[in-house]
Amino acid sequence: MIFINVRFLQDVQKKTDVIQKQNTAPHVLSRGGYEYLEQKLMAEKTKKKLEEATQFKSTEGVIDLPSPIRQHMKWKMARTKKTGQMTSEEAKEIAETIISHFQLRIVIIFVYSVNE
């Protein structure tokens, strides 16, 4: 017979509560996690690409796979509720910062490639 120390379980619960309170940007992913989110986003991108191909009547050729989902977009989507709102204000600020840094990086790369 296994004996469980109730006081030990209560201490563990208190510690996990403290850790959870420090998480200012929680995600809203299901048990599938980031892998399921990526599969869902890739399916949406593929569907959109197929729709565009049928719109231009170019479905005869091989359709390229969509580009992989960028990490910052997965992070942002993981913290976006079904209503379109972020899980917290901190998550919203972090997402805006990440996206502005990414856009700045794209501009720098573009300017560098044009000047060569």
Side-chain angles (χ1 to χ4, degrees), residues 5 9 18 25-26 29 31-32 35 43 48 51 59 73 79 81 85 94 96 100 108 110 116:
N5 187 346
L9 289 178
V18 169
L29 296 175
R31 291 179 64 183
E35 186 176 334
K48 184 177 179 181
E51 288 174 356
T59 58
M73 291 306 296
R79 283 147 183 86
K81 297 178 183 177
Q85 297 177 330
I94 292 168
E96 289 172 355
S100 67
I108 290 171
F110 177 75
E116 284 189 344

PDB file of all heavy atoms in Angstrom, residues 5 9 18 25-26 29 31-32 35 43 48 51 59 73 79 81 85 94 96 100 108 110 116:
ATOM      1  N   ASN A   5       2.044  11.485   1.708  1.00  0.00           N
ATOM      2  CA  ASN A   5       2.150  12.499   2.737  1.00  0.00           C
ATOM      3  C   ASN A   5       1.352  13.726   2.277  1.00  0.00           C
ATOM      4  O   ASN A   5       1.731  14.419   1.335  1.00  0.00           O
ATOM      5  CB  ASN A   5       3.624  12.858   2.964  1.00  0.00           C
ATOM      6  CG  ASN A   5       3.818  13.785   4.136  1.00  0.00           C
ATOM      7  OD1 ASN A   5       2.872  14.381   4.643  1.00  0.00           O
ATOM      8  ND2 ASN A   5       5.067  13.896   4.568  1.00  0.00           N
ATOM      9  N   LEU A   9       2.224  17.052  -0.303  1.00  0.00           N
ATOM     10  CA  LEU A   9       1.434  17.446  -1.476  1.00  0.00           C
ATOM     11  C   LEU A   9       0.973  18.901  -1.377  1.00  0.00           C
ATOM     12  O   LEU A   9       0.945  19.620  -2.378  1.00  0.00           O
ATOM     13  CB  LEU A   9       0.237  16.525  -1.642  1.00  0.00           C
ATOM     14  CG  LEU A   9       0.547  15.096  -2.089  1.00  0.00           C
ATOM     15  CD1 LEU A   9      -0.738  14.284  -2.160  1.00  0.00           C
ATOM     16  CD2 LEU A   9       1.251  15.086  -3.420  1.00  0.00           C
ATOM     17  N   VAL A  18       2.927  29.527  -6.604  1.00  0.00           N
ATOM     18  CA  VAL A  18       3.837  30.673  -6.649  1.00  0.00           C
ATOM     19  C   VAL A  18       4.464  30.795  -8.036  1.00  0.00           C
ATOM     20  O   VAL A  18       4.540  31.885  -8.610  1.00  0.00           O
ATOM     21  CB  VAL A  18       4.932  30.537  -5.561  1.00  0.00           C
ATOM     22  CG1 VAL A  18       6.034  31.566  -5.760  1.00  0.00           C
ATOM     23  CG2 VAL A  18       4.316  30.676  -4.184  1.00  0.00           C
ATOM     24  N   ALA A  25       2.654  35.774 -19.023  1.00  0.00           N
ATOM     25  CA  ALA A  25       2.211  35.594 -20.402  1.00  0.00           C
ATOM     26  C   ALA A  25       1.845  34.128 -20.643  1.00  0.00           C
ATOM     27  O   ALA A  25       2.532  33.416 -21.362  1.00  0.00           O
ATOM     28  CB  ALA A  25       3.297  36.041 -21.368  1.00  0.00           C
ATOM     29  N   PRO A  26       0.742  33.675 -20.043  1.00  0.00           N
ATOM     30  CA  PRO A  26       0.381  32.257 -20.207  1.00  0.00           C
ATOM     31  C   PRO A  26      -0.122  31.964 -21.613  1.00  0.00           C
ATOM     32  O   PRO A  26      -0.672  32.836 -22.286  1.00  0.00           O
ATOM     33  CB  PRO A  26      -0.735  32.064 -19.188  1.00  0.00           C
ATOM     34  CG  PRO A  26      -1.352  33.411 -19.052  1.00  0.00           C
ATOM     35  CD  PRO A  26      -0.229  34.391 -19.236  1.00  0.00           C
ATOM     36  N   LEU A  29      -2.736  27.048 -25.299  1.00  0.00           N
ATOM     37  CA  LEU A  29      -2.664  25.881 -26.165  1.00  0.00           C
ATOM     38  C   LEU A  29      -3.329  24.688 -25.496  1.00  0.00           C
ATOM     39  O   LEU A  29      -3.346  24.566 -24.285  1.00  0.00           O
ATOM     40  CB  LEU A  29      -1.205  25.531 -26.466  1.00  0.00           C
ATOM     41  CG  LEU A  29      -0.418  26.580 -27.244  1.00  0.00           C
ATOM     42  CD1 LEU A  29       1.026  26.156 -27.360  1.00  0.00           C
ATOM     43  CD2 LEU A  29      -1.023  26.780 -28.609  1.00  0.00           C
ATOM     44  N   ARG A  31      -3.660  20.342 -25.283  1.00  0.00           N
ATOM     45  CA  ARG A  31      -2.653  19.328 -24.989  1.00  0.00           C
ATOM     46  C   ARG A  31      -1.715  19.089 -26.168  1.00  0.00           C
ATOM     47  O   ARG A  31      -0.629  18.560 -26.003  1.00  0.00           O
ATOM     48  CB  ARG A  31      -3.329  18.017 -24.603  1.00  0.00           C
ATOM     49  CG  ARG A  31      -4.020  18.116 -23.267  1.00  0.00           C
ATOM     50  CD  ARG A  31      -4.693  16.832 -22.903  1.00  0.00           C
ATOM     51  NE  ARG A  31      -3.708  15.779 -22.727  1.00  0.00           N
ATOM     52  CZ  ARG A  31      -4.008  14.522 -22.462  1.00  0.00           C
ATOM     53  NH1 ARG A  31      -5.261  14.168 -22.332  1.00  0.00           N
ATOM     54  NH2 ARG A  31      -3.066  13.627 -22.309  1.00  0.00           N
ATOM     55  N   GLY A  32      -2.122  19.476 -27.351  1.00  0.00           N
ATOM     56  CA  GLY A  32      -1.280  19.287 -28.527  1.00  0.00           C
ATOM     57  C   GLY A  32      -0.068  20.192 -28.536  1.00  0.00           C
ATOM     58  O   GLY A  32       0.920  19.916 -29.197  1.00  0.00           O
ATOM     59  N   GLU A  35       3.222  21.868 -31.391  1.00  0.00           N
ATOM     60  CA  GLU A  35       3.207  20.990 -32.566  1.00  0.00           C
ATOM     61  C   GLU A  35       1.840  21.026 -33.251  1.00  0.00           C
ATOM     62  O   GLU A  35       1.738  21.155 -34.474  1.00  0.00           O
ATOM     63  CB  GLU A  35       3.547  19.563 -32.153  1.00  0.00           C
ATOM     64  CG  GLU A  35       3.694  18.618 -33.312  1.00  0.00           C
ATOM     65  CD  GLU A  35       4.136  17.230 -32.862  1.00  0.00           C
ATOM     66  OE1 GLU A  35       4.772  17.115 -31.812  1.00  0.00           O
ATOM     67  OE2 GLU A  35       3.828  16.275 -33.593  1.00  0.00           O
ATOM     68  N   ALA A  43      -1.750  23.976 -42.194  1.00  0.00           N
ATOM     69  CA  ALA A  43      -2.928  23.570 -42.955  1.00  0.00           C
ATOM     70  C   ALA A  43      -3.666  24.793 -43.490  1.00  0.00           C
ATOM     71  O   ALA A  43      -4.125  24.803 -44.645  1.00  0.00           O
ATOM     72  CB  ALA A  43      -3.848  22.724 -42.089  1.00  0.00           C
ATOM     73  N   LYS A  48      -4.945  28.222 -48.087  1.00  0.00           N
ATOM     74  CA  LYS A  48      -4.952  29.546 -48.702  1.00  0.00           C
ATOM     75  C   LYS A  48      -4.184  29.531 -50.023  1.00  0.00           C
ATOM     76  O   LYS A  48      -4.615  30.119 -51.014  1.00  0.00           O
ATOM     77  CB  LYS A  48      -4.325  30.567 -47.744  1.00  0.00           C
ATOM     78  CG  LYS A  48      -4.381  31.982 -48.241  1.00  0.00           C
ATOM     79  CD  LYS A  48      -3.818  32.938 -47.216  1.00  0.00           C
ATOM     80  CE  LYS A  48      -3.844  34.355 -47.735  1.00  0.00           C
ATOM     81  NZ  LYS A  48      -3.275  35.306 -46.783  1.00  0.00           N
ATOM     82  N   GLU A  51      -6.287  27.847 -52.647  1.00  0.00           N
ATOM     83  CA  GLU A  51      -7.358  28.734 -53.099  1.00  0.00           C
ATOM     84  C   GLU A  51      -6.825  29.775 -54.074  1.00  0.00           C
ATOM     85  O   GLU A  51      -7.464  30.089 -55.076  1.00  0.00           O
ATOM     86  CB  GLU A  51      -8.020  29.409 -51.895  1.00  0.00           C
ATOM     87  CG  GLU A  51      -8.882  28.473 -51.073  1.00  0.00           C
ATOM     88  CD  GLU A  51      -9.400  29.128 -49.813  1.00  0.00           C
ATOM     89  OE1 GLU A  51      -9.030  30.292 -49.516  1.00  0.00           O
ATOM     90  OE2 GLU A  51     -10.165  28.457 -49.086  1.00  0.00           O
ATOM     91  N   THR A  59      -3.633  25.126 -61.002  1.00  0.00           N
ATOM     92  CA  THR A  59      -3.560  23.914 -60.178  1.00  0.00           C
ATOM     93  C   THR A  59      -2.946  22.743 -60.927  1.00  0.00           C
ATOM     94  O   THR A  59      -2.724  21.695 -60.338  1.00  0.00           O
ATOM     95  CB  THR A  59      -4.960  23.505 -59.686  1.00  0.00           C
ATOM     96  OG1 THR A  59      -5.798  23.310 -60.823  1.00  0.00           O
ATOM     97  CG2 THR A  59      -5.540  24.539 -58.769  1.00  0.00           C
ATOM     98  N   MET A  73       5.618  34.159 -34.552  1.00  0.00           N
ATOM     99  CA  MET A  73       4.189  34.074 -34.845  1.00  0.00           C
ATOM    100  C   MET A  73       3.533  32.939 -34.044  1.00  0.00           C
ATOM    101  O   MET A  73       2.404  33.072 -33.584  1.00  0.00           O
ATOM    102  CB  MET A  73       3.962  33.878 -36.347  1.00  0.00           C
ATOM    103  CG  MET A  73       4.325  35.095 -37.172  1.00  0.00           C
ATOM    104  SD  MET A  73       3.506  36.623 -36.617  1.00  0.00           S
ATOM    105  CE  MET A  73       1.804  36.232 -36.925  1.00  0.00           C
ATOM    106  N   ARG A  79      -0.658  32.696 -27.469  1.00  0.00           N
ATOM    107  CA  ARG A  79      -1.161  33.549 -26.414  1.00  0.00           C
ATOM    108  C   ARG A  79      -2.343  34.401 -26.850  1.00  0.00           C
ATOM    109  O   ARG A  79      -2.714  35.337 -26.162  1.00  0.00           O
ATOM    110  CB  ARG A  79      -0.019  34.420 -25.892  1.00  0.00           C
ATOM    111  CG  ARG A  79       0.889  33.623 -24.990  1.00  0.00           C
ATOM    112  CD  ARG A  79       2.316  34.042 -25.054  1.00  0.00           C
ATOM    113  NE  ARG A  79       3.141  33.184 -24.207  1.00  0.00           N
ATOM    114  CZ  ARG A  79       3.653  32.033 -24.611  1.00  0.00           C
ATOM    115  NH1 ARG A  79       3.436  31.604 -25.831  1.00  0.00           N
ATOM    116  NH2 ARG A  79       4.384  31.298 -23.797  1.00  0.00           N
ATOM    117  N   LYS A  81      -6.338  34.494 -27.588  1.00  0.00           N
ATOM    118  CA  LYS A  81      -7.574  33.762 -27.318  1.00  0.00           C
ATOM    119  C   LYS A  81      -8.400  33.655 -28.595  1.00  0.00           C
ATOM    120  O   LYS A  81      -8.117  34.309 -29.596  1.00  0.00           O
ATOM    121  CB  LYS A  81      -8.388  34.491 -26.245  1.00  0.00           C
ATOM    122  CG  LYS A  81      -7.698  34.580 -24.913  1.00  0.00           C
ATOM    123  CD  LYS A  81      -8.557  35.351 -23.928  1.00  0.00           C
ATOM    124  CE  LYS A  81      -7.860  35.526 -22.603  1.00  0.00           C
ATOM    125  NZ  LYS A  81      -8.665  36.323 -21.670  1.00  0.00           N
ATOM    126  N   GLN A  85      -8.152  38.427 -28.505  1.00  0.00           N
ATOM    127  CA  GLN A  85      -7.431  39.168 -27.478  1.00  0.00           C
ATOM    128  C   GLN A  85      -6.257  38.353 -26.969  1.00  0.00           C
ATOM    129  O   GLN A  85      -6.279  37.132 -26.982  1.00  0.00           O
ATOM    130  CB  GLN A  85      -8.355  39.492 -26.303  1.00  0.00           C
ATOM    131  CG  GLN A  85      -9.507  40.390 -26.653  1.00  0.00           C
ATOM    132  CD  GLN A  85     -10.415  40.594 -25.448  1.00  0.00           C
ATOM    133  OE1 GLN A  85     -10.525  39.721 -24.603  1.00  0.00           O
ATOM    134  NE2 GLN A  85     -11.053  41.747 -25.393  1.00  0.00           N
ATOM    135  N   ILE A  94       4.831  42.168 -25.025  1.00  0.00           N
ATOM    136  CA  ILE A  94       5.935  41.330 -25.482  1.00  0.00           C
ATOM    137  C   ILE A  94       5.774  41.015 -26.970  1.00  0.00           C
ATOM    138  O   ILE A  94       6.734  41.084 -27.742  1.00  0.00           O
ATOM    139  CB  ILE A  94       6.018  40.036 -24.654  1.00  0.00           C
ATOM    140  CG1 ILE A  94       6.428  40.365 -23.212  1.00  0.00           C
ATOM    141  CG2 ILE A  94       6.989  39.049 -25.264  1.00  0.00           C
ATOM    142  CD1 ILE A  94       6.267  39.207 -22.252  1.00  0.00           C
ATOM    143  N   GLU A  96       4.171  42.757 -29.260  1.00  0.00           N
ATOM    144  CA  GLU A  96       4.440  43.960 -30.052  1.00  0.00           C
ATOM    145  C   GLU A  96       5.938  44.222 -30.160  1.00  0.00           C
ATOM    146  O   GLU A  96       6.442  44.590 -31.235  1.00  0.00           O
ATOM    147  CB  GLU A  96       3.730  45.163 -29.428  1.00  0.00           C
ATOM    148  CG  GLU A  96       2.230  45.119 -29.579  1.00  0.00           C
ATOM    149  CD  GLU A  96       1.515  46.203 -28.793  1.00  0.00           C
ATOM    150  OE1 GLU A  96       2.179  46.953 -28.029  1.00  0.00           O
ATOM    151  OE2 GLU A  96       0.287  46.298 -28.920  1.00  0.00           O
ATOM    152  N   SER A 100       8.020  44.139 -33.665  1.00  0.00           N
ATOM    153  CA  SER A 100       8.736  45.340 -34.117  1.00  0.00           C
ATOM    154  C   SER A 100      10.214  45.028 -34.346  1.00  0.00           C
ATOM    155  O   SER A 100      10.812  45.507 -35.309  1.00  0.00           O
ATOM    156  CB  SER A 100       8.568  46.481 -33.118  1.00  0.00           C
ATOM    157  OG  SER A 100       9.209  46.180 -31.896  1.00  0.00           O
ATOM    158  N   ILE A 108      16.563  45.954 -42.118  1.00  0.00           N
ATOM    159  CA  ILE A 108      18.034  45.991 -42.149  1.00  0.00           C
ATOM    160  C   ILE A 108      18.569  45.030 -43.208  1.00  0.00           C
ATOM    161  O   ILE A 108      19.473  45.377 -43.971  1.00  0.00           O
ATOM    162  CB  ILE A 108      18.605  45.672 -40.752  1.00  0.00           C
ATOM    163  CG1 ILE A 108      18.308  46.823 -39.799  1.00  0.00           C
ATOM    164  CG2 ILE A 108      20.106  45.400 -40.828  1.00  0.00           C
ATOM    165  CD1 ILE A 108      18.623  46.540 -38.359  1.00  0.00           C
ATOM    166  N   PHE A 110      17.017  44.014 -45.892  1.00  0.00           N
ATOM    167  CA  PHE A 110      16.665  44.560 -47.201  1.00  0.00           C
ATOM    168  C   PHE A 110      17.615  45.680 -47.596  1.00  0.00           C
ATOM    169  O   PHE A 110      18.127  45.713 -48.719  1.00  0.00           O
ATOM    170  CB  PHE A 110      15.218  45.057 -47.200  1.00  0.00           C
ATOM    171  CG  PHE A 110      14.813  45.685 -48.499  1.00  0.00           C
ATOM    172  CD1 PHE A 110      14.543  44.895 -49.618  1.00  0.00           C
ATOM    173  CD2 PHE A 110      14.688  47.067 -48.613  1.00  0.00           C
ATOM    174  CE1 PHE A 110      14.185  45.474 -50.815  1.00  0.00           C
ATOM    175  CE2 PHE A 110      14.330  47.637 -49.814  1.00  0.00           C
ATOM    176  CZ  PHE A 110      14.067  46.849 -50.916  1.00  0.00           C
ATOM    177  N   GLU A 116      24.425  46.317 -51.703  1.00  0.00           N
ATOM    178  CA  GLU A 116      25.516  45.509 -52.257  1.00  0.00           C
ATOM    179  C   GLU A 116      25.543  45.554 -53.757  1.00  0.00           C
ATOM    180  O   GLU A 116      24.729  45.758 -54.490  1.00  0.00           O
ATOM    181  CB  GLU A 116      25.392  44.066 -51.793  1.00  0.00           C
ATOM    182  CG  GLU A 116      25.831  43.941 -50.368  1.00  0.00           C
ATOM    183  CD  GLU A 116      25.931  42.476 -49.970  1.00  0.00           C
ATOM    184  OE1 GLU A 116      25.397  41.578 -50.672  1.00  0.00           O
ATOM    185  OE2 GLU A 116      26.573  42.223 -48.959  1.00  0.00           O
TER     186      GLU A 116
END
